[in-house]
Structures are given as C-alpha cells and as structure tokens.
Amino acid sequence: MQQLFMASATIIIGVFGCVGYFFVSNLVLDTLLPPRGPEAGRNISRAAQIRPWLFLLPAILLLSVYLVYPLVVSVVLSFKDSQGASWVGFDNYTWLLNDTKFRESLGNNLLWLLVVPAAATFFGLIAAALTDRIRWGNFAKAMIFMPMAISFVGASVIWKFIYDYRGEGQTEVGALNAIVSAFGGTPQAWLTVEPTNSFLLMVVLIWIQTGFAMVILSAALRGIPEETIEAAILDGASPLQIFARIKVPQIWGTIAVVWTTITITVLKVFDIVLTMTNGQWGTQVLANLMFDWMFRGNDTGRASAVALVIMLMVTPIMVWNIRNARKEMR
Amino acid sequence: MDNIAGTKSSLVWAVHMATAALVLLWVLPTLGLLVSSFRDADQIAASGWWRAVFSSEQNIVYRAADVQTQVQQGDLWVLQGNVFDGGKGEVQSFGITSRAPSDFAPGTAAPMKDGMAAQVEVNGDYRITAPKAFEGRSPRLFVTSLTPPRFTLANYSKVLFAEGIGRAFLNTMTVTIPATVIPILIAAFAAYALAWMEFPGRALLIAAIVGLLVVPLQLSLIPLLRLHNSIGIGKEYLGIWLAHSGFGLPLAIYLLRNYMAGLPREIIESARVDGATDFQIFLKIILPLSFPALASFAIFQFLWTWNDLLVATVFLGNTQDQLVMTGVLRELMGSKGGEWEILATSAFVSIAVPLVVFFAMQKYLVRGLLAGSVK
C-alpha cells in the first residue's frame, strides 16, 4: 500500500513538476524578454530562438542520459577488462571471435533473422488478405492480434505447455506430443532436441508478431487505389492473380517496413530464450548471451562487446530509417 | 470490393475456412492455458486440456484404509472404504498387483494370497476380506477409473495469496503507472517544439530521434546500472521509472510529432495572431487535439512496461517487495516447471490486465502502430 502511495505521489510530483517547469521557464523567458516596449521586435525574435530549447530540454536530457551516454560508455567498456578497471585493447573482441558460444549465438541469430520476419510477414499478409474479405473479419483480426498484448514470458509459459514432455509411459498433456503420438510418432522432450528446438522457439515469436504484420499490411491493402483492381478484374484476372500481381507489388514499401520492424524485435529477442531454454541445447542468442555475461559471468567488458555486436547488426536498419524519414519530411 | 463481380462462392467458402483455421491456430495455445488454469493438478497430469470437458481415465494406486480400522464380521476381518475418498468417479476395472492393474471388472471378487479377497464396486466402494486379522501395511488396490470433468478456482486463490503473485501484481502496478504517465508530458512538449517551432538543428534532432528508436536496450543496461548505483538508485523504483521513461521517449516523441505535424496550420496560426503564446497554444489547442496519439502511446508504453522482464531484472532487486510479475513467472518456470496448475494460473493473472487493456483500447493501439512504424 505504502508503495502504491509512493507511486501515486511520484505521478503527481512528476506531472506537476513537468507542467511547473514548462510554465515557470516560459514565464521567466517572457519576463526577461518582454514582447512589448521599445525593443519588442528584437525580444520576440530572441525569445523565439530560446523557447524551443526550453520545450526540448527535459527530453534531450533524458535521451542523452538513457540512450546516448550508454552508447559511448558501452564502446569504452568493451575495450576494458571484466570490471571496467583497466584497458585490454581488442581482447574482448578476439575472445568473441574464438568463443564457440558466441558463434552459436550469432548463427542462431542469423537463423532467427531469416525465419521469423519472413514467416510473420507471410502469415500477416495472408491473414490481412483473408480477413478483409469476410464479415467477421474484425473479430478474426482481434484474435490473431491478441498475442501482441501478451508478455514474452507469458507467451513462453503458453508455449512451454504445448511443448511439454511428461516422460515415457505417462499420458502426454503437451499438445505437440499428443499430436505426434496420434500420428504414431514417439513423444520427445522437444526443447532439448537440436536443431528443432530453435525453430520451436521461433514459433513463439512468429505467433506474437503476426498480428502486428497483419494490422499494418491490412491498412496498406485497403489503401490500394480501386481502379487498378477494377481494371484487373475487367481484364479477367483471377482473385489469386489480383492478390499476387496487383495488390502485393503495390504494398512492397509497407512490407519492407513490417519486415525491418520485426527484424529489430528479433535482434533483441531475449525473454523467450531465457525462460524456455536459457540458451541450453544450442539455442543461445546474442541478447541472452549478453545477459549471461552481465549477470552470471559478471564481465562488463565481454557483455558490452556482445551488446555492440547487436548494435552493429541494427545499424543498417537505423541508417535506412533515418534516410527514409528525411526523404519524407522534404 | 466484395460487390464486384468475379467473386466465386466456392472461393468465399475457402476464405471462411482458411480464416477459421488461422484464428483457431492463434487462439488455441492461449485457450489451452486458460482451461488448464481451472483444472486441478491431478486432472492436468491425467489428460490433455482438450479433454477437460470429458471424463478422464485415471489410474489410481490406492492404499486401503489403515489396518486399525478393520472390523470383524462373522469369522472374516474386513477393511472397507471408497477409493475416491469422497470424490466422484466411475471404476472401469481394478487389480491387486501392479503387474495386472486391470484384471477384474468392478463388482467381481478378486482372490488374493492367504485366502484374502478384494472387491471394488463401480462407485468406488471397496471391501477387502481376510480369514485372520490384517497386520502391518494395508494392501494396495489398482483402479482404473473414469473421473468426471472437474473445474476449480482453487488455483487462483492459491496463486494470488500464497505464491507471491498478488504482491508482484502490486509491484508491477507500481512500476507501470508512473513509467507510462511521466514520459508522455515530456514527449508532448518536445514533439510540439519539433513540429511547430522553427529553429536551427530541428531536422537533425528529428533524424537523431528516428535513429534512437532502434537502439537496442541491451546496450544501455551496463552503463546505466553503474550510473544508478553510483548515485544510489541502483535498486529503487525511481531508477526503473526513469529508465522506462528514457527508453520510451524516442517512440513517444516520434509518434506525437508526426501526429502534431499533421494538425491544420490555420488553427495554430490564427491562435498566434490572436496573441496566444506557444505555451498557451500547446496547452489549450495542441494537447486536447492530440488525444488519440497520446492514447496510442500510453497503451504502447503501458503494455511494454507491464510485459517487460529485462529492464525490471536489471534495475530492480529480486526481493519480495520489488519482484514484478514477469520476474515471478520466470522464477516459477525454473522452480515449478512441472506444476502446470500454478504456472498456468500465474501466467493468466499476469496477462489478464494487458488483455483487458488490449481489447478495450484496440482502436488506439492500431492507430499507434500505423503511425509508429517508420514509413
């Protein structure tokens, strides 16, 4: 209770503090450079130069401390030893290159990058195309979209239950093993079977991300000009042809956006691997490896080096995003 | 496009079927866990959740009542009771050794060693007779039974009050609410400046924010943890509020700026002509008009902070008064991996709030997604 009281107090202090800061700082500016009197013109233009920075100051402060500063420190730490005390040059990076667990993580991450965005975008596109054509489409959409609200940990519990293995001679209560035995196979502890287990983990993320892809692609499909589709129908195109040759080519831009957004999520995937296998049985990924070295290995140098590898993999998308955003603003 | 000629009815059926299959595939995993959270541990172990509404076949190994309870009837000593111990069920078959656990039909007498005999009725009543008094441990019975479906709320009361989920629920609320409210205001002011004020470096700042959108969280953890430790908020709620606010800001500013930039220029200019200051314009015109974008971001940030495990693990301790629900779930998965009734119920308690928010505010979430993905 005391804790909730503290939280509410923080909200009130935070909100009033924010509003107060903006109000007072604007007031001070207007008093120092009053927009009237003999120098009104000069004052107004000066105030107009300062005011944006008053509005931006808290945001810039938070962003610098919480995102920019760590970026710099991480680079520095990656050249230092496990406690961040002395310089070790490229030691952490040479260690990376020779570490088998790192190679395994990198390989797995690449596999995730190939499979998850492709599968989620594909299913999302199918779901969008199907649900737009039927009356109960909105309900169907809500159902497919629902996993977006579920935490990665919650989703891991849900899917671990599906992959559950009870042991020989016992009734299998995991759906996967029940299906396998129904078709005459032998139940297995699926999460320990390489390399199938990595794909089983990917299924969880695909399950979560498909809804996101569907929502965005569905909006794009609806935005296609009707004339192109009417023309295709008049020319005798089948519904399948219309979808594959008319609609999809017109939304390539959106597909690329969806793809890259999911790619970023994939690079940061962590909770699923941590809670389902903790990187055992050949399922390690970079984000979880970094977490491992941070908490269990207690080695800030190596952990920072791994984090920088993730950053490096995100960078091309970042550059691409910035260029697109600038193009749009012009 | 439905009314345009060329849609075949067979195709419509195919679309319905395919959609139904897809929806089922996406809903069943969650449904399985939901159903399981209402079953008791024995039932979960005895049959898959998809059989929850049917009677389940169970193999019970039952040790007959303590030999103290035996009674003498004529020249026979008798042990009796019910193999379901007051529960309900229907005996299919029974046996007296583990090698042949289902040799006898209910109602028939099974001869045992030393002239003893056992008999189990369909309703579970059993009667073991012997020519001389029972000694030592009472004999075992092997019963195959049909147990009717049984649903219970016991898991929920157990999880909420005994497993620490109730407390974790409060902790999660404590993390989530300030971490959702604080960044909104800061971002709104910044977004207004970026959308409607002219100043040198504006384009550069916007580009920087687009870039910061994708910076992986992992990079920030170690430096920030050191920073927080050095100023004494290493394992405090204040630290995680600030961290979540910082991490949420790029998306908040980006979403709000895009939305505000799309507001009609005339409104703002006529307000300026009428002598309104920027502060007034922002508070009285922009903020109310931006409500949909504010709501979108609020939902995003709420879902993200509620569902987060990584930031909470790093910036909060794992003591009882700081562990959030995702953290508890993670611990339960490690320590109670096989106890699905606890896991399923805990998971459902933790995803209930996001699901409610999701279904209630879906409109805003979709709008935010459409605006937020970098076009």
Side-chain angles (χ1 to χ4, degrees):
Chain A
M1 272 309 111
Q2 190 208 345
Q3 197 177 315
L4 280 187
F5 176 73
M6 192 174 80
S8 339
T10 311
I11 295 177
I12 293 166
I13 294 171
V15 169
F16 279 94
C18 268
V19 175
Y21 157 77
F22 288 113
F23 182 75
V24 170
S25 63
N26 273 280
L27 205 68
V28 167
L29 189 67
D30 285 335
T31 336
L32 289 182
L33 301 166
R36 65 191 83 79
E39 300 196 358
R42 207 193 58 163
N43 280 354
I44 287 177
S45 69
R46 271 201 192 165
Q49 277 176 359
I50 298 174
R51 205 183 310 272
W53 300 104
L54 289 183
F55 274 58
L56 283 166
L57 188 70
I60 291 183
L61 267 180
L62 261 181
L63 284 177
S64 334
V65 175
Y66 281 87
L67 289 166
V68 182
Y69 159 80
L71 193 69
V72 179
V73 175
S74 284
V75 174
V76 172
L77 281 177
S78 75
F79 291 106
K80 288 191 165 186
D81 67 1
S82 61
Q83 299 310 314
S86 54
W87 297 93
V88 292
F90 282 92
D91 277 12
N92 289 321
Y93 291 95
T94 46
W95 163 80
L96 270 191
L97 292 178
N98 296 317
D99 186 51
T100 49
K101 213 56 187 164
F102 173 76
R103 285 199 206 147
E104 174 196 312
S105 312
L106 197 65
N108 279 335
N109 256 108
L110 291 177
L111 202 62
W112 280 73
L113 281 183
L114 278 180
V115 176
V116 177
T121 315
F122 175 76
F123 283 119
L125 189 59
I126 302 280
L130 289 175
T131 51
D132 276 346
R133 295 169 143 260
I134 51 177
R135 205 170 295 159
W136 53 287
N138 279 337
F139 170 77
K141 271 205 187 98
M143 290 297 120
I144 297 176
F145 195 30
M146 181 191 66
M148 279 288 284
I150 297 176
S151 62
F152 284 157
V153 186
S156 301
V157 176
I158 290 176
W159 283 87
K160 210 170 178 191
F161 188 49
I162 289 182
Y163 301 148
D164 190 41
Y165 174 62
R166 288 266 126 170
E168 234 173 299
Q170 285 177 287
T171 324
E172 291 299 340
V173 298
L176 181 64
N177 273 324
I179 293 169
V180 165
S181 10
F183 282 101
T186 22
Q188 291 188 51
W190 288 105
L191 287 176
T192 62
V193 183
E194 285 182 63
T196 327
N197 50 7
S198 280
F199 289 96
L200 293 178
L201 298 187
M202 290 178 209
V203 167
V204 183
L205 194 57
I206 296 171
W207 179 71
I208 295 174
Q209 292 291 326
T210 296
F212 161 75
M214 175 194 69
V215 166
I216 307 251
L217 293 172
S218 158
L221 282 177
R222 283 200 211 140
I224 293 175
E226 290 195 14
E227 300 83 49
T228 56
I229 296 162
E230 274 170 31
I233 291 174
L234 287 180
D235 287 345
S238 73
L240 218 61
Q241 280 175 320
I242 292 177
F243 179 69
R245 302 242 180 112
I246 310 287
K247 287 185 175 175
V248 172
Q250 293 194 62
I251 58 165
W252 271 126
T254 315
I255 292 180
V257 169
V258 169
W259 194 291
T260 47
T261 311
I262 299 178
T263 301
I264 293 166
T265 315
V266 169
L267 278 172
K268 295 191 259 187
V269 68
F270 150 80
D271 320 37
I272 296 175
V273 177
L274 176 77
T275 47
M276 288 184 87
T277 63
N278 198 7
Q280 291 166 294
W281 309 296
T283 54
Q284 189 66 293
V285 293
L286 288 175
N288 194 43
L289 184 72
M290 185 259 162
F291 187 81
D292 242 22
W293 278 108
M294 180 176 172
F295 275 111
R296 271 194 291 162
N298 259 328
D299 188 328
T300 54
R302 290 179 178 181
S304 298
V306 178
L308 279 170
V309 172
I310 304 177
M311 180 69 209
L312 208 66
M313 291 170 84
V314 175
T315 308
I317 298 173
M318 188 163 134
V319 172
W320 189 71
N321 275 351
I322 292 176
R323 284 174 64 179
N324 277 358
R326 300 199 74 147
K327 223 185 288 166
E328 207 163 80
M329 267 186 290
R330 241 167 249 144
Chain B
M1 215 92 349
D2 298 335
N3 48 1
I4 293 181
T7 341
K8 297 191 196 84
S9 64
S10 64
L11 195 75
V12 172
W13 271 109
V15 168
H16 279 287
M17 300 301 287
T19 316
L22 213 56
V23 168
L24 270 184
L25 212 60
W26 252 255
V27 172
L28 281 184
T30 319
L31 190 69
L33 206 71
L34 179 64
V35 171
S36 297
S37 73
F38 289 106
R39 305 177 79 201
D40 65 32
D42 299 341
Q43 292 241 306
I44 291 179
S47 65
W49 63 268
W50 52 92
R51 301 196 124 126
V53 291
F54 306 111
S55 298
S56 62
E57 203 180 77
Q58 251 176 310
N59 295 313
I60 305 171
V61 180
Y62 183 82
R63 187 167 292 281
D66 197 280
V67 292
Q68 308 277 320
T69 63
Q70 59 184 311
V71 288
Q72 199 174 9
Q73 295 180 350
D75 54 352
L76 286 177
W77 294 85
V78 179
L79 272 179
Q80 53 193 356
N82 188 296
V83 293
F84 299 121
D85 280 332
K88 273 189 182 164
E90 200 177 299
V91 175
Q92 302 280 285
S93 60
F94 74 99
I96 44 176
T97 63
S98 57
R99 255 171 292 154
S102 53
D103 263 12
F104 302 96
T108 58
M112 299 164 82
K113 62 179 172 29
D114 301 332
M116 287 157 54
Q119 185 166 340
V120 181
E121 304 298 332
V122 175
N123 66 4
D125 287 343
Y126 66 89
R127 181 182 156 91
I128 304 173
T129 54
K132 57 179 194 212
F134 291 97
E135 276 171 13
R137 296 222 285 173
S138 49
R140 287 190 301 173
L141 289 171
F142 299 85
V143 179
T144 306
S145 75
L146 267 187
T147 316
R150 201 162 61 217
F151 293 100
T152 165
L153 285 172
N155 297 334
Y156 281 91
S157 62
K158 185 173 175 190
V159 158
L160 282 177
F161 302 112
E163 295 287 346
I165 285 279
R167 185 61 215 255
F169 194 91
L170 278 186
N171 295 344
T172 308
M173 290 282 250
T174 312
V175 170
T176 307
I177 298 172
T180 307
V181 176
I182 294 172
I184 291 182
L185 260 181
I186 298 179
F189 277 97
Y192 173 72
L194 290 174
W196 289 107
M197 290 171 150
E198 294 288 342
F199 60 93
R202 189 173 80 151
L204 205 68
L205 263 180
I206 297 173
I209 282 162
V210 173
L212 289 178
L213 271 179
V214 299
V215 168
L217 219 56
Q218 276 80 8
L219 210 58
S220 313
L221 300 178
I222 298 173
L224 284 181
L225 191 60
R226 293 176 142 222
L227 182 74
H228 278 186
N229 282 336
S230 68
I231 56 173
I233 52 169
K235 299 276 180 206
E236 298 272 345
Y237 280 108
L238 182 62
I240 197 170
W241 291 330
L242 285 172
H244 271 311
S245 303
F247 298 147
L249 263 189
L251 181 67
I253 299 177
Y254 180 74
L255 270 181
L256 292 174
R257 192 210 83 93
N258 277 1
Y259 190 86
M260 288 177 186
L263 294 174
R265 177 173 285 273
E266 297 80 33
I267 301 181
I268 291 146
E269 296 205 326
S270 59
R272 278 216 179 109
V273 170
D274 288 347
T277 63
D278 273 312
F279 188 69
Q280 286 168 326
I281 294 176
F282 172 76
L283 222 55
K284 301 212 170 122
I285 300 176
I286 301 286
L287 217 49
L289 281 179
S290 306
F291 176 75
L294 295 173
S296 299
F297 171 73
I299 296 167
F300 267 117
Q301 181 75 356
F302 175 81
L303 288 180
W304 152 245
T305 45
W306 188 282
N307 288 338
D308 159 78
L309 171 68
L310 182 58
V311 178
T313 319
V314 176
F315 291 106
L316 283 181
N318 50 4
T319 53
Q320 210 208 355
D321 55 350
Q322 286 201 326
L323 202 57
V324 294
M325 277 195 293
T326 45
V328 174
L329 264 187
R330 180 195 159 202
E331 284 197 348
L332 286 179
M333 277 175 96
S335 61
K336 311 212 166 183
E339 293 177 37
W340 283 110
E341 76 284 3
I342 299 288
L343 265 179
T345 317
S346 308
F348 252 91
V349 172
S350 87
I351 64 180
V353 174
L355 281 184
V356 169
V357 170
F358 171 81
F359 281 115
M361 316 272 278
Q362 210 186 353
K363 189 176 75 181
Y364 293 111
L365 186 64
V366 169
R367 204 178 288 173
L369 273 185
L370 291 176
S373 49
V374 186
K375 283 186 215 79

